[in-house]
Amino acid sequence: ERIAFNQMFSWVKANAKREKIKAIFSHKLDRVCRNMRDAVRLQELEDLCGVQLAFVDNQFGPGAAGALSFNVMAAVAQYYSDNLRSEVLKGIDEKVRQGWPNGQAPYGYMNVANRNEPIQPHPERSRALIRLFELYSTGSMTFKALADQLANEGYIFRNSQPRFTRTTLSHILGNRFYIGELHRNGQVFEGKYRRLIDRVTFDACQD
């Protein structure tokens, strides 16, 4: 993860001597070091390339005392990062237990700023979703024929990709979200959002 940080680290390590880089400047240590591994890597830059760390809010003296302060602050930064991650995951778990999915709403639905009903049917794509299941549940259509029929009837997947692909259709048709099931950490929770597909139709599409 931390793509930008890793790119910065690799570039500085490769170009420090040629570009005469003397320091990496940051607001404070926990903005650049999220864990002890980050701290060790940045210390290696100083040892190998002579690139020091400079901070606005944190000052570390020379010698063993400065190194100890740096390591303690890095450990604290990791604690806060780990704790934040834990709190975020607990928030996601609680939201799912309450019957609402986390993140982007699946096709046919939309995210809205409504605490009582944060996931609602999309005014246009919900009709496409219902028609998609309706057609495929007959058992007489291939994915190509289904995509052709949806296109002929004017239904689109999204503006940047109007046609439904085989992968998209397979994912939608097998997504148990549509029958009110939310899966999280091996458990299944009942969704509170409005259901557009009944279980009989859904099951007919799984054969």
Side-chain angles (χ1 to χ4, degrees):
E1 300 178 8
R2 301 202 69 190
I3 295 174
F5 174 85
N6 291 327
Q7 290 174 338
M8 179 275 293
F9 177 85
S10 298
W11 187 88
V12 171
K13 187 175 182 180
N15 297 280
K17 293 182 179 179
R18 185 177 68 239
E19 300 293 337
K20 299 179 180 180
I21 300 172
K22 300 300 182 183
I24 294 175
F25 192 68
S26 177
H27 181 230
K28 53 184 179 178
L29 186 140
D30 64 8
R31 292 294 82 206
V32 69
C33 296
R34 302 291 174 82
N35 52 56
M36 291 302 297
R37 180 172 180 270
D38 292 344
V40 170
R41 292 173 71 193
L42 291 173
Q43 287 175 319
E44 286 178 354
L45 282 182
E46 182 171 1
D47 296 338
L48 298 175
C49 309
V51 178
Q52 297 182 336
L53 294 175
F55 306 99
V56 174
D57 284 357
N58 302 130
Q59 300 297 325
F60 303 101
L68 176 61
S69 296
F70 179 88
N71 290 332
V72 169
M73 289 292 291
V76 171
Q78 176 162 342
Y79 165 77
Y80 280 119
S81 180
D82 291 345
N83 185 63
L84 177 61
R85 180 177 182 274
S86 177
E87 291 301 314
V88 169
L89 290 175
K90 283 198 293 185
I92 293 174
D93 290 341
E94 180 59 28
K95 187 176 180 180
V96 172
R97 279 195 293 269
Q98 292 175 359
W100 301 105
N102 183 64
Q104 187 69 28
Y107 184 81
Y109 290 80
M110 60 183 181
N111 301 85
V112 297
N114 184 328
R115 295 189 64 180
N116 295 322
E117 192 181 10
I119 303 292
Q120 297 180 12
H122 189 282
E124 297 173 359
R125 293 175 183 174
S126 60
R127 293 188 292 109
L129 178 76
I130 293 170
R131 183 58 173 155
L132 184 159
F133 272 93
E134 181 181 74
L135 288 168
Y136 197 70
S137 66
T138 63
S140 62
M141 283 194 158
T142 63
F143 282 158
K144 182 181 183 306
L146 177 58
D148 289 341
Q149 185 61 34
L150 290 169
N152 291 337
E153 295 182 16
Y155 295 113
I156 66 170
F157 176 52
R158 58 187 176 211
N159 293 334
S160 61
Q161 183 188 325
R163 185 178 174 84
F164 287 85
T165 66
R166 177 186 179 85
T167 300
T168 298
L169 291 171
S170 177
H171 176 73
I172 291 175
L173 289 165
N175 191 348
R176 303 189 71 82
F177 168 92
Y178 295 119
I179 52 172
E181 294 183 10
L182 296 177
H183 292 248
R184 176 76 178 168
N185 297 329
Q187 295 180 280
V188 181
F189 300 91
E190 183 178 357
K192 288 186 177 179
Y193 47 87
R194 283 177 269 171
R195 291 166 205 172
L196 302 175
I197 309 301
D198 62 76
R199 185 175 291 272
V200 173
T201 301
F202 182 88
D203 288 343
C205 292
Q206 310 311 306
D207 297 335

